[in-house]
Amino acid sequence: MTTFTVKHDEGTTRVKANPQRLVVLDEEMLGWVYALGLGSRVVGLGGPRVQPADLTATGTLKPDRAKVGFLGRGTLNPAAKFVGTWTAPNLETIAALKPDLILRSTWAGNQNYDNLSKIAPTIGYAEAQPGYWRDSFRAVARVFGRQEQAEQVIKQVAETNRVNGRKLLAAGVFAKYPKVVVVSPFPGGTNYVNSAKRLIDDLKVLGFKDALTGRAKTTLGVGSVISDEVLLGLDKQTLVVLLPPGQDEATMKAFLSSAVGQRLKDQILAYEMEPYSPWTGPLVSMKTSHDLTSLILNKAK
C-alpha cells in the first residue's frame, strides 16, 4: 500500500494514498474536496454553517439543503452524516464512520487533534499561514494523485482574476478607488477589518491596494477590531466592502444607519457570500472575483 508523509499545520501525518472515506470538519475543506471532484467520498461533514434544521432525522443533509448555495457547488455524498461543529466534533459519530482521512481547518488553541488522530489520520491547515490556500490545496491533492487537477484549478482562479482585473482597469475603477478595505460588522456594533486574509486577498489580486496595510494585530491571523475613528478617517478614494459574517440583514442595516455608515455611504459596497460558503478557497475566490467585479463595475458607472 502506497502511503504519504504529509507535513501540515498541526504536525506530520502518514496517510495512505487515495483515501476513499473522508470526514471534512468545515466548509473550507469541503471546498477543496469539491474542487478535486471528490465530494462523493465524503462520509462525514462538520462545520460552522450547517445547522440542526438542515438535517434529516438520521443526521444527513436534507436533500433540498444539499443543493443550496455553496453546498450545491459539488456533488456531495447523500449519505454523508453530520459530525458536529468544527470546534466540537462528535468523536463517536466520526469513529463509527470509519474514515480513511480527516481534514480540518485549524487555528491557535484549536482542540481535539489528538483525539481525531486516534480515529484516523488527521490533517489540519491554518488559514493564517502563508500559502493558504494554494500550497495546502496542492498537498492535499497529492494524497489523491490529483496534482494535475489541482494545478488546473489554481490556474483557473488566476485567470479569472486576471480577466476581471483587466475589466476593472479598463473601466477606470482603480483611478476612482485605488484602495480598498473589507469591514465585517458584528451584532452589538463591533467592527472587524479583514486585514490579513479572506476577501482582502481576492481584492488585492484584482488590483486594489489595501488601505490599511501594516495592521499587524489580528484575531486568529485573519482580521482585527477596527475603531470608528479609523473608519471615519478613510479618504474618498477607498472602496469600503461591507462583508457581514453571515446572512445577517439586521446587522448590515445597523452599520449602514450608523454615523460611520452614513459618512461612508457613497463609497460602500455591500456584499454577502452565498449560503454555507466558507471564507476562502478556490471555489470561493472564483465566485467572489466575478461577483465583486460585477458589483464594482455597476457602482463605478
Side-chain angles (χ1 to χ4, degrees):
M1 178 188 301
T2 302
T3 61
F4 292 96
T5 298
V6 180
K7 293 183 179 180
H8 54 97
D9 295 326
E10 297 191 278
T12 301
T13 302
R14 198 73 180 168
V15 181
K16 71 177 184 180
N18 203 23
Q20 299 296 307
R21 298 179 61 80
L22 309 178
V23 166
V24 291
L25 290 182
D26 48 81
E27 289 83 0
E28 266 79 8
M29 294 298 106
L30 180 63
W32 298 9
V33 169
Y34 272 178
L36 294 173
L38 298 169
S40 63
R41 299 190 191 185
V42 176
V43 296
L45 172 66
R49 308 287 187 211
V50 175
Q51 299 296 315
D54 300 317
L55 305 175
T56 67
T58 60
T60 61
L61 275 175
K62 293 177 179 177
D64 61 327
R65 304 312 295 166
K67 299 176 183 178
V68 173
F70 188 82
L71 294 177
R73 302 282 296 281
T75 302
L76 183 65
N77 178 1
K81 291 287 186 72
F82 183 66
V83 297
T85 67
W86 57 349
T87 55
N90 188 315
L91 300 176
E92 290 184 0
T93 300
I94 294 172
L97 293 172
K98 301 184 185 304
D100 299 320
L101 178 64
I102 300 170
L103 293 168
R104 75 173 191 166
S105 298
T106 191
W107 54 88
N110 194 15
Q111 300 178 2
N112 284 304
Y113 176 73
D114 290 341
N115 289 329
L116 291 166
S117 296
K118 292 175 183 177
I119 297 171
T122 300
I123 296 175
Y125 291 103
E127 186 181 350
Q129 295 295 339
Y132 188 92
W133 51 266
R134 289 162 182 80
D135 292 347
S136 307
F137 179 57
R138 286 183 170 108
V140 170
R142 177 173 170 264
V143 172
F144 296 96
R146 300 206 174 193
Q147 299 95 315
E148 183 176 345
Q149 185 169 343
E151 293 305 321
Q152 290 173 349
V153 170
I154 291 169
K155 287 180 181 178
Q156 186 179 2
V157 173
E159 179 64 11
T160 296
N161 285 321
R162 185 186 68 80
V163 170
N164 286 330
R166 286 186 174 182
K167 290 179 182 178
L168 296 172
L169 179 63
V173 168
F174 301 125
K176 184 175 183 179
Y177 295 118
K179 297 173 291 183
V180 69
V181 62
V182 179
V183 178
S184 291
F186 276 71
T190 300
N191 299 310
Y192 281 78
V193 59
N194 294 155
S195 52
K197 295 285 182 179
R198 298 181 176 173
L199 204 61
I200 189 64
D201 284 343
D202 295 322
L203 287 160
K204 287 193 292 186
V205 171
L206 285 173
F208 292 95
K209 294 179 181 179
D210 185 352
L212 297 173
T213 297
R215 292 180 63 88
K217 185 178 180 181
T218 64
T219 299
L220 302 180
V222 174
S224 58
V225 174
I226 187 168
S227 68
D228 288 353
E229 288 75 18
V230 172
L231 290 173
L232 289 168
L234 295 174
D235 62 41
K236 293 186 179 299
Q237 286 192 301
T238 299
L239 179 67
V240 180
V241 177
L242 203 59
L243 180 70
Q247 305 290 312
D248 190 346
E249 187 174 342
T251 298
M252 182 85 85
K253 286 183 177 179
F255 179 90
L256 292 172
S257 63
S258 69
V260 173
Q262 289 298 297
R263 154 70 176 79
L264 299 172
K265 63 181 180 180
D266 293 335
Q267 60 205 87
I268 284 178
L269 181 70
Y271 180 63
E272 288 188 76
M273 302 181 83
E274 63 183 332
Y276 303 106
S277 178
W279 292 107
T280 58
L283 301 184
V284 175
S285 285
M286 282 188 278
K287 179 169 175 53
T288 56
S289 179
H290 286 310
D291 288 351
L292 289 170
T293 297
S294 178
L295 290 170
I296 293 167
L297 288 174
N298 286 335
K299 185 175 183 62
K301 287 180 179 178

